Amino acid sequence: MPVLALFIDLITKAPEYYFSIIIAVVISIVLHELGHGVAAIWQGDDTPKVTGHMTWNPMVHMGGFSLFLLVMAGIAFGQMPVTPSRFRSRYGNAMVAAAGPVTNLLLALIGLTIFGLWVKYGSLGPEGVPTAGQRFFWLFGMINLVLCVFNMLPIPPLDGSTVLADFSPPFRRVMRNPDNQPFFMGAFLLVFFFAGWIF
């Protein structure tokens, strides 16, 4: 598997970069899921609290399998249980779904702003190369930018499909049609694989 080989290769050739990716992705996914949780609670659904998902613990949000995939291949995912029937707004589904990518977008702006200010007003490493700390914030910002764009794709079970379905009844019917599930699953796996490879 090319993604697996490329990612594991980082352990020996660029361990600092490898562990920066692990840390940045874990933080980003945990905050992404907490964004969903906060929005769901704001919409009147206490499922995130009841199920114990309003926590910083990555094992709760990602689980062992996702963390294993992250360490081995740089691919990961998370989840936040919600009960849409409890949302008080007509577009509660869209708001809760969009909260995760919006969180990633804000984190991207924070990370890249810190990187830019640090490079401009701080000191660079030898030969003008950014320091490890500066590179981490650049990487953190770019990871969150990728997560925001990736999760807003209108492919189930990504957040973008829920947002679009909430505003487009025709798409909602297509998405809920069992005959279309194999197509959506194939599209998701294809995008998921190449997103990891590109990243």
Side-chain angles (χ1 to χ4, degrees), residues 68-173:
F68 173 77
L69 283 179
L70 173 60
V71 171
M72 296 304 296
I75 299 172
F77 52 87
Q79 62 176 352
M80 173 62 71
V82 297
T83 307
S85 60
R86 296 179 179 177
F87 297 160
R88 60 169 61 99
S89 170
R90 160 67 181 83
Y91 297 105
N93 269 338
M95 287 187 282
V96 173
V102 168
T103 299
N104 290 129
L105 181 59
L106 292 175
L107 292 174
L109 292 174
I110 292 171
L112 294 176
T113 298
I114 292 174
F115 168 75
L117 292 175
W118 195 347
V119 167
K120 183 175 182 179
Y121 297 106
S123 58
L124 294 171
E127 300 180 3
V129 177
T131 64
Q134 291 167 337
R135 288 197 300 271
F136 174 81
F137 282 107
W138 176 84
L139 183 64
F140 182 75
M142 293 306 296
I143 284 174
N144 275 282
L145 198 57
V146 169
L147 286 175
C148 175
V149 173
F150 174 73
N151 278 284
M152 283 306 293
L153 293 176
I155 303 172
L158 298 177
D159 297 320
S161 66
T162 302
V163 173
L164 182 57
D166 223 19
F167 290 97
S168 172
F171 179 77
R172 184 163 62 246
R173 287 193 294 270

Side-chain angles (χ1 to χ4, degrees), residues 8-17:
I8 291 182
D9 195 44
L10 287 176
I11 300 176
T12 56
K13 293 185 177 179
E16 173 194 296
Y17 187 67

Side-chain angles (χ1 to χ4, degrees), residues 16-98:
E16 173 194 296
Y17 187 67
Y18 171 84
F19 287 108
S20 292
I21 291 176
I22 300 298
I23 294 170
V25 169
V26 168
I27 293 174
S28 301
I29 290 181
V30 167
L31 291 176
H32 173 104
E33 299 304 335
L34 287 174
H36 287 311
V38 169
I41 293 170
W42 173 65
Q43 277 294 305
D45 176 25
D46 64 350
T47 302
K49 284 183 178 179
V50 173
T51 57
H53 276 71
M54 294 307 291
T55 173
W56 297 99
N57 186 351
M59 279 296 293
V60 173
H61 297 290
M62 301 173 67
F65 182 62
S66 177
L67 288 169
F68 173 77
L69 283 179
L70 173 60
V71 171
M72 296 304 296
I75 299 172
F77 52 87
Q79 62 176 352
M80 173 62 71
V82 297
T83 307
S85 60
R86 296 179 179 177
F87 297 160
R88 60 169 61 99
S89 170
R90 160 67 181 83
Y91 297 105
N93 269 338
M95 287 187 282
V96 173

